[in-house]
Amino acid sequence: MNFEKVLSNATPLLLEGLKITCLISVVSIAIGIVIGLVMCLFGMSRFKALRGISAAYIWLIRGTPMLVQALVVYFGIPQMINLFWPGFTLSSITAGIITLSLNAGAYLAEIFRGGISAVPKGQVEAARSLGLPYSKTFFKIILPQAVKIAIPSMVNQFIITVKDTSILSVIGLPELANKAKVYAGSSYLYFGTYTLLAVYYLVIISILMLIAKYVEKKFNYERKS
Amino acid sequence: MKEKVKVRNLHKSFGSLDVLKGIDIDISEGEVVCVIGPSGGGKSTFLRCLNRLEDATKGEIIVDDIPITDKKTDINKIRERIGMVFQSFNLFSHLTVRKNVMLAPVELKKMSKEKASARADELLARVGLADKAESYPHQLSGGQQQRVAIARALAMDPDIMLFDEPTSALDPEMVGEVLLVMKELAKAGMTMIVVTHEMGFAKDVADRVLFIADGVICEEGTPEELFGSPRQERTKDFLNSVLT
């Protein structure tokens, strides 16, 4: 099956792709967390307009495939912007990060909301009865407990986000899957290349899961003695 | 004696359900008031209105001449001076016992961590839990958790303490240790309002007992009066059912 040939020839190419995949994943997850937190807060706001923004955003993202979102962000929106700002272009990396963070943000918003509503009401009442204003109650009492509750679902979302980077090959983003496709197409070594590609993803996700396990342990104050 | 808390015509409704239908009472500084009565009669709601965990529908509550029912009053400032202890303890489960006690003074009084920590240890010693400072709430028994909750409330140096059925969620053998801490607090001159089913505690410690049923103060008096010679039929029925 020419595994050796694939290993030696495809590796430099795949490593290049791996760098992009990791970069896009890390940046998008970080931005996604911020978007998710803001949208989650919007969703629980007293103001109807903010709740509306959050609901519309989550509805839009959850209601469309990421592939379509990527096409809209990379091809659709720049064309529209060009009407007012001729010559405007978006690099595939920027478009990829925008798509992936918007996507992760919507799901994370829902995960955070679930975590926050799972914190017992008595915790809030105890904090408020001490005189803590709502903001302090939120950041000191609710959020730490909500994050702990949400960690398993968050990790799940991170894994999905890392894997979803491969969808971004449709907008020509030179990430891991794209590089593999290019190599397989030119060498005709489909089995070897794509198997190796799968191994790459397995390794990244496994490392992510190990980190997650460590973090989860750190947060697990209920088992600490 | 100086009036600490004044409640005037307090009403509270949840939707169409009228829980409090006009409560009037004055509570003096240093007084220990026990509130008894049947479930659903409005005892806890009354207590929760006093630090505005529930907003009154109508009426006025005045603490130290400050109308706390007024929307313009900074309720957080008032709450710093009104400690509250809950039936279900509500200790912050992600923080150690010491950090539970330290949190409010550090966040609200800008006390240094060292000072707050020393103060926490002092309060924990006072409730007999000096050795549990590093534990997490779930590692403690119910009685211990409730004593930490009392220490946490005391950390803000409140001059009023509200207790919402503090022993109702406890195993019988742990009720005593919590009541003991409360008794000492009463002896030290704290103004206390205690919703309780512990008639023995009310008899021993209360200066005054309120019997709240159907959203009104049905009867009030010294423990001797209320337990010894209740005047209202409603009170007699209730006392008969709990004391036998």
Side-chain angles (χ1 to χ4, degrees):
Chain A
M1 290 285 172
N2 279 320
F3 252 127
E4 267 169 58
K5 192 173 166 201
V6 171
L7 264 181
S8 57
N9 291 349
T11 298
L13 216 57
L14 290 186
L15 283 180
E16 258 174 62
L18 180 68
K19 255 192 250 164
I20 301 283
T21 292
C22 289
L23 175 81
I24 299 266
S25 300
V26 170
V27 174
S28 302
I29 285 172
I31 301 175
I33 288 175
V34 175
I35 296 179
L37 198 56
V38 170
M39 283 301 154
C40 164
L41 291 176
F42 276 18
M44 297 188 311
S45 162
R46 278 180 291 152
F47 303 107
K48 217 174 162 187
L50 295 183
R51 288 203 305 273
I53 291 172
S54 163
Y57 160 69
I58 292 169
W59 171 70
L60 210 64
I61 298 291
R62 289 213 295 195
T64 54
M66 203 183 90
L67 180 81
V68 175
Q69 293 159 13
L71 294 175
V72 169
V73 170
Y74 186 59
F75 296 109
I77 291 175
Q79 191 177 48
M80 201 186 68
I81 294 179
N82 260 307
L83 294 178
F84 314 99
W85 181 1
F88 175 86
T89 53
L90 213 53
S91 74
S92 62
I93 292 209
T94 315
I97 289 175
I98 292 174
T99 307
L100 210 54
S101 12
L102 283 176
N103 197 273
Y107 290 99
L108 285 170
E110 286 292 271
I111 290 168
F112 291 147
R113 195 179 55 82
I116 287 170
S117 50
V119 175
K121 209 172 135 239
Q123 298 282 310
V124 178
E125 290 191 343
R128 298 309 306 273
S129 77
L130 287 166
L132 267 80
Y134 191 78
S135 56
K136 279 199 173 81
T137 304
F138 183 79
F139 287 107
K140 295 281 167 181
I141 307 299
I142 304 176
L143 199 59
Q145 297 188 49
V147 166
K148 187 209 160 207
I149 296 167
I151 283 178
S153 316
M154 279 165 72
V155 170
N156 210 24
Q157 181 56 45
F158 295 164
I159 290 174
I160 292 172
T161 300
V162 170
K163 293 203 277 196
D164 276 356
T165 52
S166 63
I167 293 176
L168 298 172
S169 61
V170 294
I171 58 170
L173 186 76
E175 45 68 57
L176 194 51
N178 199 356
K179 292 282 188 189
K181 219 157 65 183
V182 169
Y183 180 75
S186 62
S187 66
Y188 301 106
L189 297 170
Y190 296 111
F191 181 77
T193 312
Y194 288 141
T195 309
L196 186 63
L197 176 65
V199 171
Y200 267 72
Y201 280 110
L202 262 178
V203 171
I204 310 174
I205 305 290
S206 302
I207 293 171
L208 189 62
M209 282 164 81
L210 281 176
I211 298 173
K213 223 175 195 170
Y214 170 78
V215 173
E216 212 169 321
K217 228 185 198 165
K218 250 194 127 168
F219 262 89
N220 205 349
Y221 37 85
E222 291 198 346
R223 297 226 185 99
K224 263 188 220 161
S225 51
Chain B
M1 244 195 274
K2 193 171 161 267
E3 265 150 17
K4 196 83 186 151
V5 181
K6 284 187 260 188
V7 179
R8 294 286 175 270
N9 194 28
L10 176 65
H11 283 73
K12 173 69 187 176
S13 315
F14 293 102
S16 60
L17 183 70
D18 297 329
V19 180
L20 297 180
K21 302 168 190 164
I23 302 257
D24 285 276
I25 181 132
D26 288 346
I27 294 164
S28 324
E29 199 168 342
E31 195 177 13
V32 177
V33 175
C34 281
V35 183
I36 61 169
S39 319
K43 307 181 298 285
S44 287
T45 306
F46 164 63
L47 197 74
R48 290 163 60 86
C49 282
L50 295 180
N51 66 350
R52 249 174 70 185
L53 279 187
E54 303 290 354
D55 274 313
T57 311
K58 208 172 95 185
E60 202 178 16
I61 299 167
I62 297 156
V63 176
D64 281 335
D65 301 325
I66 302 165
I68 68 159
T69 33
D70 189 338
K71 292 273 175 281
K72 276 173 275 175
T73 304
D74 180 2
I75 190 62
N76 291 326
K77 275 278 159 254
I78 307 290
R79 282 176 177 153
E80 290 182 14
R81 293 162 37 200
I82 307 178
M84 188 166 196
V85 175
F86 300 85
Q87 180 177 352
S88 48
F89 328 133
N90 296 346
L91 291 182
F92 304 131
S93 53
H94 62 304
L95 299 176
T96 61
V97 163
R98 182 186 284 122
K99 286 190 175 147
N100 261 275
V101 181
M102 284 167 62
L103 182 89
V106 170
E107 292 298 327
L108 300 173
K109 290 193 166 169
K110 304 291 163 217
M111 198 184 269
S112 71
K113 289 219 165 131
E114 295 73 32
K115 217 174 144 198
S117 172
R119 171 92 175 114
D121 287 344
E122 193 184 302
L123 285 164
L124 288 171
R126 187 165 157 194
V127 298
L129 291 170
D131 54 330
K132 297 289 182 191
E134 292 298 324
S135 304
Y136 281 85
H138 71 98
Q139 296 166 319
L140 305 183
S141 72
Q144 291 171 328
Q145 288 193 49
Q146 196 60 299
R147 285 187 279 152
V148 174
I150 294 173
R152 178 177 67 179
L154 291 176
M156 288 302 287
D157 288 318
D159 35 34
I160 301 170
M161 285 282 284
L162 309 177
F163 292 85
D164 190 3
E165 302 193 25
T167 58
S168 298
L170 296 177
D171 290 336
E173 75 267 27
M174 290 167 185
V175 170
E177 61 191 67
V178 172
L179 293 182
L180 191 71
V181 171
M182 290 168 62
K183 261 182 209 172
E184 277 164 13
L185 207 54
K187 244 189 266 167
M190 179 68 77
T191 309
M192 290 165 62
I193 303 162
V194 186
V195 171
T196 187
H197 292 297
E198 295 294 327
M199 298 303 150
F201 177 81
K203 271 182 197 164
D204 289 353
V205 184
D207 297 308
R208 195 156 37 131
V209 181
L210 310 183
F211 174 67
I212 291 186
D214 301 324
V216 293
I217 299 177
C218 220
E219 186 164 353
E220 64 170 294
T222 62
E224 294 76 32
E225 287 166 357
L226 202 109
F227 292 111
S229 50
R231 294 177 310 251
Q232 306 281 338
E233 279 309 312
R234 193 87 180 72
T235 320
K236 284 179 201 167
D237 287 348
F238 175 76
L239 290 176
N240 276 332
S241 64
V242 292
L243 293 176
T244 48

